Amino acid sequence: QAQQQPNFLFFEQNMGIYNPAFTGSEGQFVGLGYRAAWSGIEDAPRATSLVYNTKEKNKASWGISFLSDKVYVENQGMVSVDYGYRLQLSDNTNLHLGIKAGANFNNIDLEKLNRITQENNEALGNIQNYLNPLLGVGAYLKSKTYFFGLSVPNFLNTKRFKEINGIQATATDKPHLYASGGFAWKLNNTISLEPAFLYRMVSDAPNQVTAIGKINFKDQLQLGVGVSNNDYISAMLAFKGMKLFDFGYGYEMGQRTSSTALRANTHEIFMRFKFGQSKANNETQKEDNNKVQ
């Protein structure tokens, strides 16, 4: 029983990794995320994400998601094509449904192992790289003031088995369930409060919850603090004032009262380039609203 999929502090910006229904909900963009955990420790976890969404056409959008999670000698991740379809429930509320199809990959470099002896170890013969198919689904409810998502990015319970010289090895990739949500509470024309959460569940491993409270200034600058049930607290800063470009930095650290042996800090950044489709999306929304009226 080993670690779950990587967790991003900027999970809203990386929602396409977890939930294919997010595709198309924020127009056409390309986003890049990078997370460097356990600062100062050699070969510590490093996660990289890439999400691309096309503009909406006939209420449908396509996207590409890529995730690479490297820890010591292992580099695992996924690459997928995402499809999202928008159902308008009211003037300001839409339900997005999505499907994700692609592959999980895992590469292990045995040459980098720090072995005590160079004698032959037959157990290492069972370690192999692999490429397995993935298939996931999701739903994403979004309005002007709140959002809620529920997804399983890969519901295929993939099991691998290998036997060499009488030594058996079995590995299983189990489905993860993700739930996310948040809302915006406007205090005045300048400031709004925007709490959000991400809940992750998989069998035979602890559930994880990340909750973040953000203050939004004129929809241009965001300041936030967060907490996770793995004894980590966080802070973030995001710039959203530029017309086509968003940028953010996050910092995560272990609580001093935690009994966890390792409390090294984590750095995270995200960048997003928007293709100026937000206006087009607004026009599409207006057209749909006129049809409803």
Side-chain angles (χ1 to χ4, degrees), residues 27-264:
Q28 186 180 16
F29 71 87
V30 58
L32 178 66
Y34 181 73
R35 178 179 175 87
W38 303 347
S39 178
I41 298 178
E42 186 178 0
D43 295 323
R46 299 289 185 267
T48 304
S49 66
L50 174 67
V51 178
Y52 170 73
N53 284 184
T54 66
K55 64 179 180 180
E56 181 181 300
K57 184 177 181 180
N58 296 326
K59 298 185 179 182
S61 303
W62 292 90
I64 297 175
S65 300
F66 171 79
L67 173 66
S68 173
D69 182 27
K70 187 175 182 181
V71 184
Y72 188 35
V73 300
E74 180 183 29
N75 184 17
Q76 65 170 338
M78 70 91 186
V79 59
S80 70
V81 175
D82 306 324
Y83 173 80
Y85 186 82
R86 179 174 61 86
L87 300 173
Q88 185 174 6
L89 303 183
S90 67
D91 290 353
N92 299 317
T93 305
N94 292 280
L95 175 62
H96 300 260
L97 303 176
I99 186 169
K100 177 185 290 285
N104 285 319
F105 64 85
N106 190 303
N107 298 313
I108 300 177
D109 188 356
L110 297 178
E111 298 298 326
K112 291 185 178 180
L113 282 175
N114 295 324
R115 301 184 58 193
I116 298 176
T117 174
Q118 295 304 314
E119 295 182 6
N120 183 45
N121 186 343
E122 295 182 352
L124 295 178
N126 284 327
I127 299 177
Q128 58 181 338
N129 301 332
Y130 65 83
L131 184 70
N132 290 330
L134 71 83
L135 188 64
V137 294
Y140 187 71
L141 184 66
K142 182 181 180 181
S143 76
K144 288 184 177 180
T145 57
Y146 69 87
F147 73 89
F148 180 78
L150 191 65
S151 64
V152 179
N154 183 22
F155 56 75
L156 299 180
N157 195 356
T158 305
K159 189 173 184 179
R160 301 178 301 281
F161 174 82
K162 189 175 183 180
E163 179 178 351
I164 295 180
N165 298 327
I167 300 177
Q168 298 179 356
T170 303
T172 304
D173 293 331
K174 295 185 176 182
H176 287 62
L177 172 67
Y178 288 91
S180 60
F183 69 90
W185 180 23
K186 193 172 183 178
L187 299 180
N188 51 49
N189 293 331
T190 303
I191 301 175
S192 62
L193 300 180
E194 300 181 359
F197 76 90
L198 177 69
Y199 173 79
R200 181 180 62 188
M201 181 179 68
V202 62
S203 61
D204 298 325
N207 298 340
Q208 182 164 334
V209 181
T210 300
I212 296 175
K214 295 173 290 184
I215 301 177
N216 192 328
F217 298 91
K218 295 185 177 181
D219 201 29
Q220 296 182 343
L221 176 66
Q222 280 187 345
L223 297 174
V225 293
V227 61
S228 300
N229 64 339
N230 61 352
D231 294 328
Y232 272 77
I233 57 177
S234 57
M236 63 169 61
L237 173 67
F239 298 94
K240 303 177 62 179
M242 291 170 279
K243 184 176 180 180
L244 299 178
F245 186 73
D246 294 342
F247 172 81
Y249 169 76
Y251 184 74
E252 204 170 32
M253 54 188 170
Q255 299 184 46
R256 294 182 179 274
T257 57
S258 171
S259 59
T260 304
L262 181 60
R263 297 201 302 267

